[in-house]
């Protein structure tokens, strides 16, 4: 559970850059974190998409959890 809270905090911090803006280096770090989160979680979701479709959980909630939490959600499929 603490890992999920950390990931949500990273998403909130990086999305804050898009909506509010941070000065200097903090803004640069936030945009890099956002980019890495998006790229890594989309790639991981595409990698396990077949298993997400076969999961007993409904597809859309499972897809969203995979995009937000990445490996922490997808590890149940392996």
């Amino acid at each position: 559970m603490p890992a999920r809270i950390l990931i949500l905090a990273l998403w909130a911090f990086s999305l804050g850059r898009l909506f509010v803006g941070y000065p200097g280096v903090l803004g640069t770090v936030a945009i890099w974190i956002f980019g890495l989160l998006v790229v890594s979680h989309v790639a991981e979701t595409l990698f396990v998409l077949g298993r997400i479709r076969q999961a007993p959980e409904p597809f859309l909630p499972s897809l969203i959890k995979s995009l937000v939490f990445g490996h922490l959600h997808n590890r149940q499929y392996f």
Side-chain angles (χ1 to χ4, degrees):
M1 187 61 117
R4 288 183 186 244
I5 293 170
L6 176 64
I7 289 176
L8 286 176
L10 285 172
W11 276 111
F13 171 71
S14 63
L15 286 172
R17 164 63 171 92
L18 296 176
F19 294 111
V20 178
Y22 302 127
V25 175
L26 196 57
T28 303
V29 169
I31 205 69
W32 274 98
I33 289 173
F34 178 73
L36 291 173
L37 282 171
V38 168
V39 168
S40 64
H41 287 201
V42 167
E44 184 177 7
T45 299
L46 291 174
F47 181 72
V48 296
L49 191 59
R51 292 182 186 229
I52 291 173
R53 290 181 194 268
Q54 297 170 355
E57 185 177 353
F59 177 72
L60 189 58
S62 188
L63 182 69
I64 292 169
K65 288 178 189 175
S66 178
L67 287 170
V68 172
F69 295 112
H71 174 70
L72 294 178
H73 178 70
N74 294 332
R75 67 181 172 191
Q76 68 186 350
Y77 302 129
F78 291 99

